[in-house]
Amino acid sequence: MTLTVWLTFLVAALLISVSPGAGAVNSMSSGLRYGVRNSLPTIAGQQFGYGVQIVLVGAGLGAIVASSNTALMIIKWIGVVYLICLGIQKWREEPVQASRADLSGFSPRQQFWNGALVNLTNPKATIFLIALFPQFLVAGTHHGQQLATMGTTLILVDILVMVGYALLASQLFRFMTTPTRQRQMNRVFGGLFVTAALALASFKRS
């Protein structure tokens, strides 16, 4: 890829990651509860899920999934149910002591797979990647190297943005010193997870 093409793709990648979605909500929820450093397993899991989708699309399997209404619907509704479950769990989450050392919840491994499932069960990302990649592929050149460059760019940008979301949410921690405020914030994030589920449920291919 030429520098000009890559810079254009970089802007597109940034806009994709900054756009609010289930991944952003998950990163913020984790950042608020665990702090930025302890949210890294969640963010790593999300990138694993994102990376799997990038590889599938690059290998042509994404096109197969995207062309199958049955496969797309199964993935879609798994994602909807999972996000709703996360929302209910967050809504019902009990307040904790106002010290991150006392916070309990998912283990790092559970955080990783939780983040991975959030992205793996989002068919919108697959459709988007299928639509995005061809716009930047240069004809007559080695597509594998170009896809690797674009995939790496997408993941690195998303890591930075998700860390930023977690950092932003972690700054709210000092205001979460009372059970009432914690319950309110838990319900805000629970509602956002359900909202993301509804947005996914309403997704239809054009």
Side-chain angles (χ1 to χ4, degrees), residues 1 6 9-10 13 16-17 47-58 129 132-133 136-137 143-159:
M1 298 177 72
W6 181 78
F9 183 81
L10 179 63
I16 295 166
S17 293
Q47 302 318 309
F48 174 79
Y50 199 15
V52 169
Q53 290 198 327
I54 291 170
V55 170
L56 290 177
V57 171
L129 290 171
L132 177 70
F133 281 166
F136 293 91
L137 288 175
H143 286 175
Q145 185 176 0
Q146 295 179 68
L147 288 169
T149 300
M150 288 190 286
T152 301
T153 301
L154 284 169
I155 289 177
L156 290 178
V157 168
D158 202 59
I159 289 173

PDB file of all heavy atoms in Angstrom, residues 1 6 9-10 13 16-17 47-58 129 132-133 136-137 143-159:
ATOM      1  N   MET A   1       0.843  -1.189   0.000  1.00  0.00           N
ATOM      2  CA  MET A   1       0.000   0.000   0.000  1.00  0.00           C
ATOM      3  C   MET A   1       0.878   1.238   0.000  1.00  0.00           C
ATOM      4  O   MET A   1       1.896   1.286   0.687  1.00  0.00           O
ATOM      5  CB  MET A   1      -0.906   0.030   1.245  1.00  0.00           C
ATOM      6  CG  MET A   1      -1.884  -1.122   1.352  1.00  0.00           C
ATOM      7  SD  MET A   1      -2.860  -1.053   2.877  1.00  0.00           S
ATOM      8  CE  MET A   1      -3.933   0.336   2.511  1.00  0.00           C
ATOM      9  N   TRP A   6      -2.626   4.171   2.699  1.00  0.00           N
ATOM     10  CA  TRP A   6      -2.616   3.707   4.093  1.00  0.00           C
ATOM     11  C   TRP A   6      -3.138   4.773   5.046  1.00  0.00           C
ATOM     12  O   TRP A   6      -3.876   4.465   5.980  1.00  0.00           O
ATOM     13  CB  TRP A   6      -1.202   3.297   4.505  1.00  0.00           C
ATOM     14  CG  TRP A   6      -1.157   2.803   5.922  1.00  0.00           C
ATOM     15  CD1 TRP A   6      -1.541   1.585   6.391  1.00  0.00           C
ATOM     16  CD2 TRP A   6      -0.736   3.562   7.074  1.00  0.00           C
ATOM     17  NE1 TRP A   6      -1.380   1.512   7.757  1.00  0.00           N
ATOM     18  CE2 TRP A   6      -0.896   2.704   8.208  1.00  0.00           C
ATOM     19  CE3 TRP A   6      -0.260   4.847   7.251  1.00  0.00           C
ATOM     20  CZ2 TRP A   6      -0.577   3.127   9.485  1.00  0.00           C
ATOM     21  CZ3 TRP A   6       0.059   5.257   8.538  1.00  0.00           C
ATOM     22  CH2 TRP A   6      -0.094   4.408   9.635  1.00  0.00           C
ATOM     23  N   PHE A   9      -6.796   4.828   4.857  1.00  0.00           N
ATOM     24  CA  PHE A   9      -7.330   3.666   5.573  1.00  0.00           C
ATOM     25  C   PHE A   9      -7.215   3.881   7.082  1.00  0.00           C
ATOM     26  O   PHE A   9      -8.114   3.484   7.840  1.00  0.00           O
ATOM     27  CB  PHE A   9      -6.568   2.406   5.164  1.00  0.00           C
ATOM     28  CG  PHE A   9      -7.100   1.158   5.806  1.00  0.00           C
ATOM     29  CD1 PHE A   9      -8.211   0.518   5.283  1.00  0.00           C
ATOM     30  CD2 PHE A   9      -6.507   0.644   6.948  1.00  0.00           C
ATOM     31  CE1 PHE A   9      -8.725  -0.636   5.891  1.00  0.00           C
ATOM     32  CE2 PHE A   9      -7.004  -0.497   7.557  1.00  0.00           C
ATOM     33  CZ  PHE A   9      -8.121  -1.141   7.026  1.00  0.00           C
ATOM     34  N   LEU A  10      -6.143   4.509   7.533  1.00  0.00           N
ATOM     35  CA  LEU A  10      -5.949   4.779   8.957  1.00  0.00           C
ATOM     36  C   LEU A  10      -7.068   5.656   9.498  1.00  0.00           C
ATOM     37  O   LEU A  10      -7.587   5.418  10.591  1.00  0.00           O
ATOM     38  CB  LEU A  10      -4.593   5.460   9.178  1.00  0.00           C
ATOM     39  CG  LEU A  10      -4.238   5.837  10.621  1.00  0.00           C
ATOM     40  CD1 LEU A  10      -4.131   4.594  11.494  1.00  0.00           C
ATOM     41  CD2 LEU A  10      -2.917   6.614  10.660  1.00  0.00           C
ATOM     42  N   ALA A  13     -10.099   3.511   9.782  1.00  0.00           N
ATOM     43  CA  ALA A  13      -9.969   2.614  10.935  1.00  0.00           C
ATOM     44  C   ALA A  13     -10.256   3.355  12.236  1.00  0.00           C
ATOM     45  O   ALA A  13     -10.904   2.819  13.147  1.00  0.00           O
ATOM     46  CB  ALA A  13      -8.563   2.010  10.969  1.00  0.00           C
ATOM     47  N   ILE A  16     -13.976   3.954  12.566  1.00  0.00           N
ATOM     48  CA  ILE A  16     -14.657   2.697  12.900  1.00  0.00           C
ATOM     49  C   ILE A  16     -14.560   2.424  14.394  1.00  0.00           C
ATOM     50  O   ILE A  16     -15.552   2.100  15.059  1.00  0.00           O
ATOM     51  CB  ILE A  16     -14.032   1.523  12.120  1.00  0.00           C
ATOM     52  CG1 ILE A  16     -14.274   1.688  10.624  1.00  0.00           C
ATOM     53  CG2 ILE A  16     -14.609   0.185  12.604  1.00  0.00           C
ATOM     54  CD1 ILE A  16     -13.409   0.775   9.778  1.00  0.00           C
ATOM     55  N   SER A  17     -13.363   2.556  14.956  1.00  0.00           N
ATOM     56  CA  SER A  17     -13.141   2.227  16.360  1.00  0.00           C
ATOM     57  C   SER A  17     -13.802   3.229  17.302  1.00  0.00           C
ATOM     58  O   SER A  17     -14.315   2.848  18.365  1.00  0.00           O
ATOM     59  CB  SER A  17     -11.638   2.150  16.658  1.00  0.00           C
ATOM     60  OG  SER A  17     -11.043   1.058  15.995  1.00  0.00           O
ATOM     61  N   GLN A  47      -9.797  -7.869  20.798  1.00  0.00           N
ATOM     62  CA  GLN A  47      -8.925  -7.862  19.619  1.00  0.00           C
ATOM     63  C   GLN A  47      -8.785  -9.270  19.038  1.00  0.00           C
ATOM     64  O   GLN A  47      -8.654  -9.435  17.823  1.00  0.00           O
ATOM     65  CB  GLN A  47      -7.550  -7.292  19.965  1.00  0.00           C
ATOM     66  CG  GLN A  47      -7.578  -5.887  20.535  1.00  0.00           C
ATOM     67  CD  GLN A  47      -8.554  -4.972  19.807  1.00  0.00           C
ATOM     68  OE1 GLN A  47      -8.528  -4.869  18.581  1.00  0.00           O
ATOM     69  NE2 GLN A  47      -9.414  -4.307  20.566  1.00  0.00           N
ATOM     70  N   PHE A  48      -8.812 -10.284  19.905  1.00  0.00           N
ATOM     71  CA  PHE A  48      -8.789 -11.655  19.406  1.00  0.00           C
ATOM     72  C   PHE A  48     -10.022 -11.917  18.544  1.00  0.00           C
ATOM     73  O   PHE A  48      -9.921 -12.469  17.438  1.00  0.00           O
ATOM     74  CB  PHE A  48      -8.746 -12.644  20.579  1.00  0.00           C
ATOM     75  CG  PHE A  48      -8.873 -14.082  20.163  1.00  0.00           C
ATOM     76  CD1 PHE A  48      -7.783 -14.764  19.639  1.00  0.00           C
ATOM     77  CD2 PHE A  48     -10.091 -14.749  20.293  1.00  0.00           C
ATOM     78  CE1 PHE A  48      -7.897 -16.092  19.245  1.00  0.00           C
ATOM     79  CE2 PHE A  48     -10.215 -16.071  19.903  1.00  0.00           C
ATOM     80  CZ  PHE A  48      -9.115 -16.739  19.380  1.00  0.00           C
ATOM     81  N   GLY A  49     -11.190 -11.520  19.051  1.00  0.00           N
ATOM     82  CA  GLY A  49     -12.419 -11.695  18.285  1.00  0.00           C
ATOM     83  C   GLY A  49     -12.397 -10.918  16.986  1.00  0.00           C
ATOM     84  O   GLY A  49     -12.822 -11.412  15.930  1.00  0.00           O
ATOM     85  N   TYR A  50     -11.906  -9.696  17.052  1.00  0.00           N
ATOM     86  CA  TYR A  50     -11.795  -8.839  15.865  1.00  0.00           C
ATOM     87  C   TYR A  50     -10.818  -9.462  14.871  1.00  0.00           C
ATOM     88  O   TYR A  50     -11.082  -9.510  13.656  1.00  0.00           O
ATOM     89  CB  TYR A  50     -11.298  -7.468  16.312  1.00  0.00           C
ATOM     90  CG  TYR A  50     -11.544  -6.330  15.345  1.00  0.00           C
ATOM     91  CD1 TYR A  50     -12.427  -6.445  14.280  1.00  0.00           C
ATOM     92  CD2 TYR A  50     -10.895  -5.099  15.523  1.00  0.00           C
ATOM     93  CE1 TYR A  50     -12.650  -5.389  13.421  1.00  0.00           C
ATOM     94  CE2 TYR A  50     -11.114  -4.043  14.674  1.00  0.00           C
ATOM     95  CZ  TYR A  50     -11.989  -4.188  13.624  1.00  0.00           C
ATOM     96  OH  TYR A  50     -12.209  -3.131  12.772  1.00  0.00           O
ATOM     97  N   GLY A  51      -9.699  -9.974  15.393  1.00  0.00           N
ATOM     98  CA  GLY A  51      -8.693 -10.587  14.529  1.00  0.00           C
ATOM     99  C   GLY A  51      -9.220 -11.815  13.813  1.00  0.00           C
ATOM    100  O   GLY A  51      -8.909 -12.045  12.636  1.00  0.00           O
ATOM    101  N   VAL A  52     -10.023 -12.620  14.518  1.00  0.00           N
ATOM    102  CA  VAL A  52     -10.618 -13.801  13.885  1.00  0.00           C
ATOM    103  C   VAL A  52     -11.499 -13.381  12.716  1.00  0.00           C
ATOM    104  O   VAL A  52     -11.454 -13.983  11.630  1.00  0.00           O
ATOM    105  CB  VAL A  52     -11.434 -14.612  14.916  1.00  0.00           C
ATOM    106  CG1 VAL A  52     -12.282 -15.676  14.212  1.00  0.00           C
ATOM    107  CG2 VAL A  52     -10.509 -15.274  15.922  1.00  0.00           C
ATOM    108  N   GLN A  53     -12.300 -12.341  12.917  1.00  0.00           N
ATOM    109  CA  GLN A  53     -13.159 -11.867  11.832  1.00  0.00           C
ATOM    110  C   GLN A  53     -12.330 -11.350  10.664  1.00  0.00           C
ATOM    111  O   GLN A  53     -12.662 -11.601   9.492  1.00  0.00           O
ATOM    112  CB  GLN A  53     -14.097 -10.770  12.341  1.00  0.00           C
ATOM    113  CG  GLN A  53     -15.163 -11.284  13.290  1.00  0.00           C
ATOM    114  CD  GLN A  53     -16.306 -10.304  13.427  1.00  0.00           C
ATOM    115  OE1 GLN A  53     -16.125  -9.095  13.357  1.00  0.00           O
ATOM    116  NE2 GLN A  53     -17.504 -10.825  13.618  1.00  0.00           N
ATOM    117  N   ILE A  54     -11.243 -10.641  10.947  1.00  0.00           N
ATOM    118  CA  ILE A  54     -10.378 -10.127   9.887  1.00  0.00           C
ATOM    119  C   ILE A  54      -9.774 -11.271   9.079  1.00  0.00           C
ATOM    120  O   ILE A  54      -9.743 -11.241   7.840  1.00  0.00           O
ATOM    121  CB  ILE A  54      -9.270  -9.232  10.477  1.00  0.00           C
ATOM    122  CG1 ILE A  54      -9.874  -7.927  11.019  1.00  0.00           C
ATOM    123  CG2 ILE A  54      -8.190  -8.930   9.439  1.00  0.00           C
ATOM    124  CD1 ILE A  54      -8.907  -7.083  11.825  1.00  0.00           C
ATOM    125  N   VAL A  55      -9.313 -12.310   9.785  1.00  0.00           N
ATOM    126  CA  VAL A  55      -8.719 -13.466   9.105  1.00  0.00           C
ATOM    127  C   VAL A  55      -9.768 -14.183   8.254  1.00  0.00           C
ATOM    128  O   VAL A  55      -9.496 -14.579   7.108  1.00  0.00           O
ATOM    129  CB  VAL A  55      -8.097 -14.439  10.130  1.00  0.00           C
ATOM    130  CG1 VAL A  55      -7.702 -15.752   9.458  1.00  0.00           C
ATOM    131  CG2 VAL A  55      -6.881 -13.798  10.785  1.00  0.00           C
ATOM    132  N   LEU A  56     -10.971 -14.362   8.805  1.00  0.00           N
ATOM    133  CA  LEU A  56     -12.030 -15.037   8.060  1.00  0.00           C
ATOM    134  C   LEU A  56     -12.395 -14.279   6.788  1.00  0.00           C
ATOM    135  O   LEU A  56     -12.563 -14.872   5.720  1.00  0.00           O
ATOM    136  CB  LEU A  56     -13.271 -15.208   8.940  1.00  0.00           C
ATOM    137  CG  LEU A  56     -13.158 -16.213  10.093  1.00  0.00           C
ATOM    138  CD1 LEU A  56     -14.429 -16.223  10.919  1.00  0.00           C
ATOM    139  CD2 LEU A  56     -12.872 -17.612   9.558  1.00  0.00           C
ATOM    140  N   VAL A  57     -12.511 -12.979   6.924  1.00  0.00           N
ATOM    141  CA  VAL A  57     -12.835 -12.165   5.742  1.00  0.00           C
ATOM    142  C   VAL A  57     -11.693 -12.241   4.740  1.00  0.00           C
ATOM    143  O   VAL A  57     -11.908 -12.413   3.534  1.00  0.00           O
ATOM    144  CB  VAL A  57     -13.109 -10.703   6.139  1.00  0.00           C
ATOM    145  CG1 VAL A  57     -13.218  -9.819   4.894  1.00  0.00           C
ATOM    146  CG2 VAL A  57     -14.395 -10.612   6.944  1.00  0.00           C
ATOM    147  N   GLY A  58     -10.469 -12.125   5.224  1.00  0.00           N
ATOM    148  CA  GLY A  58      -9.317 -12.180   4.335  1.00  0.00           C
ATOM    149  C   GLY A  58      -9.193 -13.505   3.624  1.00  0.00           C
ATOM    150  O   GLY A  58      -8.751 -13.584   2.481  1.00  0.00           O
ATOM    151  N   LEU A 129     -16.287  -5.310   7.145  1.00  0.00           N
ATOM    152  CA  LEU A 129     -14.955  -5.621   6.637  1.00  0.00           C
ATOM    153  C   LEU A 129     -15.008  -6.050   5.179  1.00  0.00           C
ATOM    154  O   LEU A 129     -14.135  -5.698   4.380  1.00  0.00           O
ATOM    155  CB  LEU A 129     -14.315  -6.719   7.488  1.00  0.00           C
ATOM    156  CG  LEU A 129     -13.906  -6.316   8.908  1.00  0.00           C
ATOM    157  CD1 LEU A 129     -13.487  -7.543   9.706  1.00  0.00           C
ATOM    158  CD2 LEU A 129     -12.782  -5.289   8.890  1.00  0.00           C
ATOM    159  N   LEU A 132     -15.347  -2.944   3.318  1.00  0.00           N
ATOM    160  CA  LEU A 132     -14.232  -2.007   3.458  1.00  0.00           C
ATOM    161  C   LEU A 132     -12.996  -2.442   2.690  1.00  0.00           C
ATOM    162  O   LEU A 132     -12.400  -1.650   1.946  1.00  0.00           O
ATOM    163  CB  LEU A 132     -13.877  -1.850   4.943  1.00  0.00           C
ATOM    164  CG  LEU A 132     -12.660  -0.955   5.257  1.00  0.00           C
ATOM    165  CD1 LEU A 132     -12.992   0.508   4.964  1.00  0.00           C
ATOM    166  CD2 LEU A 132     -12.238  -1.128   6.708  1.00  0.00           C
ATOM    167  N   PHE A 133     -12.572  -3.677   2.861  1.00  0.00           N
ATOM    168  CA  PHE A 133     -11.302  -4.128   2.303  1.00  0.00           C
ATOM    169  C   PHE A 133     -11.164  -3.904   0.790  1.00  0.00           C
ATOM    170  O   PHE A 133     -10.125  -3.417   0.338  1.00  0.00           O
ATOM    171  CB  PHE A 133     -11.073  -5.604   2.636  1.00  0.00           C
ATOM    172  CG  PHE A 133     -10.581  -5.843   4.039  1.00  0.00           C
ATOM    173  CD1 PHE A 133     -10.607  -7.117   4.591  1.00  0.00           C
ATOM    174  CD2 PHE A 133     -10.086  -4.810   4.820  1.00  0.00           C
ATOM    175  CE1 PHE A 133     -10.147  -7.351   5.884  1.00  0.00           C
ATOM    176  CE2 PHE A 133      -9.627  -5.019   6.113  1.00  0.00           C
ATOM    177  CZ  PHE A 133      -9.661  -6.297   6.641  1.00  0.00           C
ATOM    178  N   PHE A 136      -9.736  -0.624  -0.671  1.00  0.00           N
ATOM    179  CA  PHE A 136      -8.334  -0.234  -0.505  1.00  0.00           C
ATOM    180  C   PHE A 136      -7.356  -1.226  -1.133  1.00  0.00           C
ATOM    181  O   PHE A 136      -6.149  -1.006  -1.092  1.00  0.00           O
ATOM    182  CB  PHE A 136      -8.011  -0.067   0.989  1.00  0.00           C
ATOM    183  CG  PHE A 136      -8.714   1.095   1.629  1.00  0.00           C
ATOM    184  CD1 PHE A 136      -9.962   0.929   2.220  1.00  0.00           C
ATOM    185  CD2 PHE A 136      -8.152   2.365   1.616  1.00  0.00           C
ATOM    186  CE1 PHE A 136     -10.623   2.005   2.801  1.00  0.00           C
ATOM    187  CE2 PHE A 136      -8.800   3.442   2.198  1.00  0.00           C
ATOM    188  CZ  PHE A 136     -10.040   3.264   2.785  1.00  0.00           C
ATOM    189  N   LEU A 137      -7.867  -2.321  -1.690  1.00  0.00           N
ATOM    190  CA  LEU A 137      -6.990  -3.285  -2.334  1.00  0.00           C
ATOM    191  C   LEU A 137      -6.544  -2.767  -3.700  1.00  0.00           C
ATOM    192  O   LEU A 137      -7.373  -2.326  -4.504  1.00  0.00           O
ATOM    193  CB  LEU A 137      -7.708  -4.628  -2.504  1.00  0.00           C
ATOM    194  CG  LEU A 137      -7.924  -5.449  -1.225  1.00  0.00           C
ATOM    195  CD1 LEU A 137      -8.755  -6.685  -1.539  1.00  0.00           C
ATOM    196  CD2 LEU A 137      -6.596  -5.849  -0.599  1.00  0.00           C
ATOM    197  N   HIS A 143      -2.341  -9.396  -2.638  1.00  0.00           N
ATOM    198  CA  HIS A 143      -3.409  -9.010  -1.723  1.00  0.00           C
ATOM    199  C   HIS A 143      -3.132  -9.438  -0.289  1.00  0.00           C
ATOM    200  O   HIS A 143      -3.584  -8.784   0.648  1.00  0.00           O
ATOM    201  CB  HIS A 143      -4.742  -9.603  -2.199  1.00  0.00           C
ATOM    202  CG  HIS A 143      -5.287  -8.903  -3.399  1.00  0.00           C
ATOM    203  ND1 HIS A 143      -6.423  -9.314  -4.061  1.00  0.00           N
ATOM    204  CD2 HIS A 143      -4.838  -7.817  -4.065  1.00  0.00           C
ATOM    205  CE1 HIS A 143      -6.666  -8.506  -5.076  1.00  0.00           C
ATOM    206  NE2 HIS A 143      -5.720  -7.598  -5.101  1.00  0.00           N
ATOM    207  N   GLY A 144      -2.421 -10.549  -0.101  1.00  0.00           N
ATOM    208  CA  GLY A 144      -2.155 -11.030   1.244  1.00  0.00           C
ATOM    209  C   GLY A 144      -1.423 -10.008   2.081  1.00  0.00           C
ATOM    210  O   GLY A 144      -1.771  -9.770   3.245  1.00  0.00           O
ATOM    211  N   GLN A 145      -0.415  -9.376   1.511  1.00  0.00           N
ATOM    212  CA  GLN A 145       0.352  -8.374   2.245  1.00  0.00           C
ATOM    213  C   GLN A 145      -0.502  -7.151   2.553  1.00  0.00           C
ATOM    214  O   GLN A 145      -0.416  -6.578   3.645  1.00  0.00           O
ATOM    215  CB  GLN A 145       1.577  -7.960   1.432  1.00  0.00           C
ATOM    216  CG  GLN A 145       2.505  -7.005   2.168  1.00  0.00           C
ATOM    217  CD  GLN A 145       3.756  -6.685   1.367  1.00  0.00           C
ATOM    218  OE1 GLN A 145       3.926  -7.174   0.253  1.00  0.00           O
ATOM    219  NE2 GLN A 145       4.622  -5.874   1.933  1.00  0.00           N
ATOM    220  N   GLN A 146      -1.338  -6.764   1.594  1.00  0.00           N
ATOM    221  CA  GLN A 146      -2.213  -5.610   1.828  1.00  0.00           C
ATOM    222  C   GLN A 146      -3.219  -5.907   2.937  1.00  0.00           C
ATOM    223  O   GLN A 146      -3.471  -5.060   3.811  1.00  0.00           O
ATOM    224  CB  GLN A 146      -2.963  -5.254   0.541  1.00  0.00           C
ATOM    225  CG  GLN A 146      -2.062  -4.764  -0.588  1.00  0.00           C
ATOM    226  CD  GLN A 146      -2.857  -4.464  -1.837  1.00  0.00           C
ATOM    227  OE1 GLN A 146      -3.646  -3.520  -1.867  1.00  0.00           O
ATOM    228  NE2 GLN A 146      -2.677  -5.270  -2.863  1.00  0.00           N
ATOM    229  N   LEU A 147      -3.823  -7.108   2.910  1.00  0.00           N
ATOM    230  CA  LEU A 147      -4.793  -7.481   3.935  1.00  0.00           C
ATOM    231  C   LEU A 147      -4.131  -7.545   5.307  1.00  0.00           C
ATOM    232  O   LEU A 147      -4.732  -7.143   6.310  1.00  0.00           O
ATOM    233  CB  LEU A 147      -5.435  -8.818   3.586  1.00  0.00           C
ATOM    234  CG  LEU A 147      -6.422  -8.801   2.410  1.00  0.00           C
ATOM    235  CD1 LEU A 147      -6.772 -10.223   1.988  1.00  0.00           C
ATOM    236  CD2 LEU A 147      -7.682  -8.026   2.775  1.00  0.00           C
ATOM    237  N   ALA A 148      -2.893  -8.049   5.351  1.00  0.00           N
ATOM    238  CA  ALA A 148      -2.168  -8.107   6.618  1.00  0.00           C
ATOM    239  C   ALA A 148      -1.919  -6.703   7.154  1.00  0.00           C
ATOM    240  O   ALA A 148      -2.048  -6.448   8.360  1.00  0.00           O
ATOM    241  CB  ALA A 148      -0.843  -8.845   6.429  1.00  0.00           C
ATOM    242  N   THR A 149      -1.562  -5.781   6.267  1.00  0.00           N
ATOM    243  CA  THR A 149      -1.331  -4.386   6.674  1.00  0.00           C
ATOM    244  C   THR A 149      -2.606  -3.755   7.213  1.00  0.00           C
ATOM    245  O   THR A 149      -2.611  -3.099   8.261  1.00  0.00           O
ATOM    246  CB  THR A 149      -0.802  -3.562   5.488  1.00  0.00           C
ATOM    247  OG1 THR A 149       0.432  -4.118   5.033  1.00  0.00           O
ATOM    248  CG2 THR A 149      -0.584  -2.107   5.882  1.00  0.00           C
ATOM    249  N   MET A 150      -3.731  -3.969   6.498  1.00  0.00           N
ATOM    250  CA  MET A 150      -4.991  -3.387   6.923  1.00  0.00           C
ATOM    251  C   MET A 150      -5.475  -4.010   8.230  1.00  0.00           C
ATOM    252  O   MET A 150      -5.956  -3.302   9.129  1.00  0.00           O
ATOM    253  CB  MET A 150      -6.044  -3.547   5.822  1.00  0.00           C
ATOM    254  CG  MET A 150      -5.801  -2.652   4.619  1.00  0.00           C
ATOM    255  SD  MET A 150      -7.168  -2.614   3.430  1.00  0.00           S
ATOM    256  CE  MET A 150      -6.972  -4.227   2.658  1.00  0.00           C
ATOM    257  N   GLY A 151      -5.338  -5.341   8.358  1.00  0.00           N
ATOM    258  CA  GLY A 151      -5.764  -6.005   9.585  1.00  0.00           C
ATOM    259  C   GLY A 151      -4.962  -5.540  10.786  1.00  0.00           C
ATOM    260  O   GLY A 151      -5.525  -5.268  11.853  1.00  0.00           O
ATOM    261  N   THR A 152      -3.657  -5.428  10.609  1.00  0.00           N
ATOM    262  CA  THR A 152      -2.800  -4.953  11.701  1.00  0.00           C
ATOM    263  C   THR A 152      -3.158  -3.524  12.092  1.00  0.00           C
ATOM    264  O   THR A 152      -3.219  -3.179  13.280  1.00  0.00           O
ATOM    265  CB  THR A 152      -1.319  -5.020  11.275  1.00  0.00           C
ATOM    266  OG1 THR A 152      -0.977  -6.365  10.934  1.00  0.00           O
ATOM    267  CG2 THR A 152      -0.414  -4.527  12.404  1.00  0.00           C
ATOM    268  N   THR A 153      -3.415  -2.703  11.094  1.00  0.00           N
ATOM    269  CA  THR A 153      -3.798  -1.309  11.361  1.00  0.00           C
ATOM    270  C   THR A 153      -5.095  -1.243  12.140  1.00  0.00           C
ATOM    271  O   THR A 153      -5.216  -0.497  13.130  1.00  0.00           O
ATOM    272  CB  THR A 153      -3.937  -0.525  10.040  1.00  0.00           C
ATOM    273  OG1 THR A 153      -2.695  -0.563   9.335  1.00  0.00           O
ATOM    274  CG2 THR A 153      -4.336   0.924  10.304  1.00  0.00           C
ATOM    275  N   LEU A 154      -6.099  -2.018  11.720  1.00  0.00           N
ATOM    276  CA  LEU A 154      -7.394  -2.016  12.399  1.00  0.00           C
ATOM    277  C   LEU A 154      -7.252  -2.410  13.870  1.00  0.00           C
ATOM    278  O   LEU A 154      -7.820  -1.774  14.758  1.00  0.00           O
ATOM    279  CB  LEU A 154      -8.352  -2.988  11.701  1.00  0.00           C
ATOM    280  CG  LEU A 154      -8.961  -2.530  10.379  1.00  0.00           C
ATOM    281  CD1 LEU A 154      -9.666  -3.691   9.686  1.00  0.00           C
ATOM    282  CD2 LEU A 154      -9.943  -1.375  10.592  1.00  0.00           C
ATOM    283  N   ILE A 155      -6.479  -3.457  14.134  1.00  0.00           N
ATOM    284  CA  ILE A 155      -6.341  -3.952  15.504  1.00  0.00           C
ATOM    285  C   ILE A 155      -5.554  -2.974  16.374  1.00  0.00           C
ATOM    286  O   ILE A 155      -5.949  -2.683  17.513  1.00  0.00           O
ATOM    287  CB  ILE A 155      -5.673  -5.341  15.504  1.00  0.00           C
ATOM    288  CG1 ILE A 155      -6.655  -6.372  14.951  1.00  0.00           C
ATOM    289  CG2 ILE A 155      -5.227  -5.730  16.918  1.00  0.00           C
ATOM    290  CD1 ILE A 155      -6.095  -7.766  14.828  1.00  0.00           C
ATOM    291  N   LEU A 156      -4.446  -2.429  15.857  1.00  0.00           N
ATOM    292  CA  LEU A 156      -3.654  -1.487  16.652  1.00  0.00           C
ATOM    293  C   LEU A 156      -4.450  -0.230  16.980  1.00  0.00           C
ATOM    294  O   LEU A 156      -4.403   0.276  18.109  1.00  0.00           O
ATOM    295  CB  LEU A 156      -2.371  -1.118  15.898  1.00  0.00           C
ATOM    296  CG  LEU A 156      -1.327  -2.235  15.778  1.00  0.00           C
ATOM    297  CD1 LEU A 156      -0.126  -1.752  14.958  1.00  0.00           C
ATOM    298  CD2 LEU A 156      -0.862  -2.700  17.160  1.00  0.00           C
ATOM    299  N   VAL A 157      -5.192   0.271  15.995  1.00  0.00           N
ATOM    300  CA  VAL A 157      -6.024   1.456  16.237  1.00  0.00           C
ATOM    301  C   VAL A 157      -7.103   1.140  17.257  1.00  0.00           C
ATOM    302  O   VAL A 157      -7.372   1.935  18.176  1.00  0.00           O
ATOM    303  CB  VAL A 157      -6.651   1.956  14.913  1.00  0.00           C
ATOM    304  CG1 VAL A 157      -7.740   2.999  15.194  1.00  0.00           C
ATOM    305  CG2 VAL A 157      -5.588   2.554  14.010  1.00  0.00           C
ATOM    306  N   ASP A 158      -7.722  -0.031  17.130  1.00  0.00           N
ATOM    307  CA  ASP A 158      -8.793  -0.396  18.054  1.00  0.00           C
ATOM    308  C   ASP A 158      -8.269  -0.569  19.472  1.00  0.00           C
ATOM    309  O   ASP A 158      -8.953  -0.205  20.437  1.00  0.00           O
ATOM    310  CB  ASP A 158      -9.471  -1.683  17.580  1.00  0.00           C
ATOM    311  CG  ASP A 158     -10.876  -1.831  18.145  1.00  0.00           C
ATOM    312  OD1 ASP A 158     -11.711  -0.947  17.893  1.00  0.00           O
ATOM    313  OD2 ASP A 158     -11.130  -2.813  18.856  1.00  0.00           O
ATOM    314  N   ILE A 159      -7.064  -1.112  19.617  1.00  0.00           N
ATOM    315  CA  ILE A 159      -6.462  -1.230  20.950  1.00  0.00           C
ATOM    316  C   ILE A 159      -6.323   0.146  21.594  1.00  0.00           C
ATOM    317  O   ILE A 159      -6.713   0.351  22.754  1.00  0.00           O
ATOM    318  CB  ILE A 159      -5.084  -1.920  20.870  1.00  0.00           C
ATOM    319  CG1 ILE A 159      -5.236  -3.405  20.538  1.00  0.00           C
ATOM    320  CG2 ILE A 159      -4.332  -1.760  22.200  1.00  0.00           C
ATOM    321  CD1 ILE A 159      -3.915  -4.103  20.285  1.00  0.00           C
TER     322      ILE A 159
END
